[in-house]
C-alpha cells in the first residue's frame, strides 16, 4: 500500500472547495507519457494553477501503473524545482470497477472516478457507495457520474447522450457519499463531439455545435448548493490544430468541440473540474505533423517531441488563464 500522502500529492477536497467559492475550475488533464506531463507541470507552475493529473484505464494499460505513480511523484518534485509547489492530484479517470479503483488507491492515487453511468441506477449507486467506503478510509476522494455522455468513455461507447436528471442527484449524492459528481449536459468525448446534422455552419463552413444545457446545470446546482460538479468531454477542438493536421497529411473530418466561452461560463458555476484530453492530442499531433513535413530527414524523437511539448504547454497555459480561470489560484 502506497499512500498518496508520501508522494507529495493532495486529494481534491480543498481544491474543489476553493474552486466552487472562487468561481473557477481546476484543470483535469490526461497524461500517459513524459512530454505531456512535463508540459502540464510547466504550464501549471508558470500560471500558478492547481492541477489534476488524470490517468484513464487506457493510459494505465499503455504506460504501467508503477511508472505513472512515480511520474506523478516526480511531477511534484519537478514543480518544486521549477520554483512553485502547486497542489497536484493524481486521479483515476473513468474507473470501470471497484477493483480498478482499489488498485489505484493502493498505488498512491489521491482521487478516483468510479464510472457507473452506463449501469442501471441502483447498480451505479451500489458500486459507487462501495468505492467511497474504501476510498474514504484512506482520505482519497471519489467522483461519481450520473447521465451518459455521447462518444467514447474509455471502452464504453454511447451513441447518444442521456442528460443527467436533476431529480436523481440528491438521492445519488446522499446514498453514495461521493465528493463530486460528473454530469451530462451536452458535452461528449473525443474530437468529433457532434454529428454535422446536430450543428449549424458559420460563413466559413465551420461547424457550430448546439449549446450546453445550462438549464440542467442550474437545476442541479439549486438542488446541491455548493456541491462540486465535474464536466467531462470539454475539449474545444481548436480549429487551427485541425487545419494544420489536415494540411500536413492528416484526415480529420467534422471535428468540433465545446466553445471556450461556454466552458468559461460553466467554470464560474459549481463546475469545479473540467476534463481536457483530446485538445492535447490535437496540439501534439499538429506540431509533430508540421515538424515532419518541414524536416523529412528527422528521426530523433527529441527533435519532434520538443515542439509538440512546447505547443502543449502553450495550450495548457491558455486554458488555465483564459478558459478555466485557475491561474494564480495555487
Ligand atoms: O474520457 C476519456 C479520456 O479521453 C481517455 O481516453 O481511454 O483513450 O485514454 P483513453
Ligand atoms: P475530451 O475528449 O473532450 O478531451 O474529454 C476528456 C475527458 O472527459 C476525460 O475524462
Ligand atoms: Zn471523461
Amino acid at each position: 500500500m502506497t499512500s498518496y500522502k508520501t508522494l507529495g500529492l493532495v486529494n481534491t477536497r480543498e481544491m474543489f472547495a476553493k474552486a466552487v467559492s472562487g468561481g473557477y475550475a481546476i484543470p483535469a488533464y490526461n497524461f500517459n507519457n513524459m512530454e505531456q506531463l512535463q508540459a502540464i507541470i510547466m504550464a501549471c507552475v508558470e500560471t500558478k494553477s492547481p492541477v489534476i493529473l488524470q490517468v484513464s484505464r487506457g493510459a494505465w494499460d499503455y504506460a504501467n501503473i508503477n511508472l505513472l505513480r512515480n511520474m506523478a511523484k516526480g511531477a511534484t518534485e519537478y514543480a518544486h524545482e521549477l520554483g512553485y509547489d502547486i497542489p497536484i492530484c493524481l486521479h483515476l479517470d473513468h474507473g470501470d470497477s471497484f477493483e480498478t479503483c482499489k488498485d489505484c488507491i493502493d498505488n498512491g492515487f489521491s482521487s478516483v472516478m468510479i464510472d457507473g453511468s452506463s449501469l442501471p441506477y441502483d447498480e451505479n449507486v451500489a458500486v459507487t457507495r462501495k468505492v467511497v467506503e474504501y476510498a474514504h478510509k484512506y482520505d482519497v476522494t471519489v467522483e461519481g457520474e450520473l447521465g451518459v455522455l455521447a462518444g467514447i468513455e474509455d471502452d464504453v461507447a454511447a451513441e447518444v447522450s442521456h442528460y443527467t436528471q436533476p431529480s436523481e442527484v440528491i438521492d445519488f449524492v446522499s446514498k453514495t457519499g461521493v465528493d463530486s459528481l460528473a454530469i451530462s449536459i451536452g458535452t461528449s468525448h473525443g474530437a468529433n463531439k457532434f454529428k454535422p446534422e446536430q450543428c449549424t455552419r458559420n460563413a466559413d463552413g465551420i461547424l457550430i455545435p448546439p449549446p450546453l444545457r445550462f438549464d440542467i446545470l442550474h437545476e442541479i446546482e439549486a438542488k446541491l448548493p455548493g456541491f462540486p460538479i465535474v464536466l467531462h468531454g470539454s475539449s474545444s477542438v481548436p480549429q487551427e490544430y485541425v487545419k494544420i493536421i489536415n494540411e500536413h497529411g492528416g484526415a480529420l473530418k467534422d471535428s468540433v468541440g465545446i466553445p471556450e466561452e461556454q466552458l468559461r461560463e460553466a467554470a464560474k458555476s459549481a463546475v469545479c473540474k473540467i476534463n481536457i484530453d483530446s485538445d492535447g492530442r490535437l496540439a501534439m499531433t499538429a506540431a509533430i505533423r508540421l515538424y515532419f513535413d518541414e524536416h523529412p530527414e528527422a528521426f530523433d524523437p527529441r527533435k519532434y517531441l520538443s515542439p509538440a511539448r512546447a505547443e502543449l504547454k502553450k495550450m495548457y497555459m491558455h486554458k488555465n488563464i483564459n478558459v478555466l480561470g485557475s491561474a494564480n489560484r495555487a
Side-chain angles (χ1 to χ4, degrees):
M1 174 92 199
T2 305
S3 165
Y4 68 87
K5 294 179 184 176
T6 65
L7 306 177
L9 301 164
V10 297
N11 69 22
T12 57
R13 199 164 290 124
E14 191 181 333
M15 277 187 187
F16 286 174
K18 287 183 176 166
V20 171
S21 63
Y24 61 94
I26 309 288
Y29 297 134
N30 290 71
F31 82 104
N32 50 56
N33 70 41
M34 184 188 73
E35 285 75 12
Q36 292 167 334
L37 187 59
Q38 287 175 315
I40 294 169
I41 297 300
M42 286 189 280
C44 291
V45 166
E46 214 162 304
T47 57
K48 294 191 166 57
S49 169
V51 67
I52 296 172
L53 303 172
Q54 299 203 129
V55 171
S56 69
R57 182 69 231 190
W60 161 327
D61 292 340
Y62 176 78
N64 181 277
I65 193 165
N66 288 311
L67 283 175
L68 291 166
R69 176 187 65 236
N70 282 295
M71 286 169 79
K73 176 175 184 280
T76 66
E77 293 166 12
Y78 182 45
H80 184 78
E81 188 188 317
L82 290 177
Y84 205 79
D85 286 314
I86 52 171
I88 300 177
C89 165
L90 179 62
H91 174 77
L92 169 67
D93 191 24
H94 295 287
D96 55 353
S97 66
F98 171 77
E99 288 70 27
T100 303
C101 293
K102 180 178 180 303
D103 261 359
C104 285
I105 293 163
D106 294 351
N107 272 287
F109 281 55
S110 56
S111 172
V112 293
M113 174 188 192
I114 172 70
D115 182 357
S117 62
S118 58
L119 299 170
Y121 181 79
D122 288 340
E123 287 175 39
N124 187 3
V125 169
V127 71
T128 305
R129 175 76 228 158
K130 192 172 170 190
V131 171
V132 169
E133 276 168 6
Y134 186 77
H136 282 183
K137 279 195 236 165
Y138 302 99
D139 203 20
V140 168
T141 40
V142 180
E143 175 184 326
E145 181 168 348
L146 263 184
V148 180
L149 273 67
I152 309 288
E153 294 205 8
D154 259 333
D155 295 331
V156 185
E159 263 292 293
V160 286
S161 62
H162 302 283
Y163 297 125
T164 305
Q165 293 182 35
S167 58
E168 288 181 345
V169 298
I170 294 178
D171 187 68
F172 186 81
V173 166
S174 56
K175 280 189 178 148
T176 59
V178 282
D179 302 282
S180 60
L181 180 67
I183 61 168
S184 171
I185 57 166
T187 61
S188 71
H189 291 100
N192 292 76
K193 298 193 184 298
F194 304 96
K195 297 196 175 76
E197 54 271 26
Q198 292 175 281
C199 304
T200 50
R201 279 190 197 271
N202 72 9
D204 300 323
I206 304 288
L207 290 173
I208 309 295
L212 296 181
R213 292 290 303 270
F214 280 96
D215 55 324
I216 298 178
L217 171 60
H218 296 322
E219 244 188 280
I220 292 170
E221 278 187 288
K223 291 193 184 292
L224 297 172
F227 190 79
I229 300 297
V230 177
L231 276 193
H232 282 248
S234 297
S235 279
S236 295
V237 187
Q239 292 302 302
E240 62 271 27
Y241 292 145
V242 173
K243 190 162 179 282
I244 293 171
I245 290 170
N246 285 342
E247 283 175 358
H248 297 274
L252 297 178
K253 203 167 172 286
D254 297 330
S255 300
V256 63
I258 311 298
E260 289 185 342
E261 316 78 72
Q262 293 187 35
L263 295 171
R264 230 179 346 250
E265 192 180 333
K268 289 181 187 148
S269 72
V271 169
C272 63
K273 171 175 180 269
I274 291 190
N275 287 12
I276 296 170
D277 186 0
S278 299
D279 282 356
R281 299 178 185 197
L282 291 167
M284 258 190 129
T285 302
I288 290 171
R289 280 197 176 278
L290 188 61
Y291 190 87
F292 276 146
D293 241 9
E294 290 172 353
H295 304 86
E297 76 292 351
F299 71 102
D300 179 345
R302 291 170 297 185
K303 295 284 188 233
Y304 53 87
L305 290 175
S306 294
R309 184 175 60 189
E311 194 57 50
L312 269 178
K313 178 189 170 194
K314 192 176 93 187
M315 189 201 71
Y316 291 135
M317 288 183 69
H318 163 71
K319 301 270 183 201
N320 294 352
I321 296 167
N322 302 313
V323 184
L324 310 185
S326 64
N328 295 314
R329 305 289 191 161

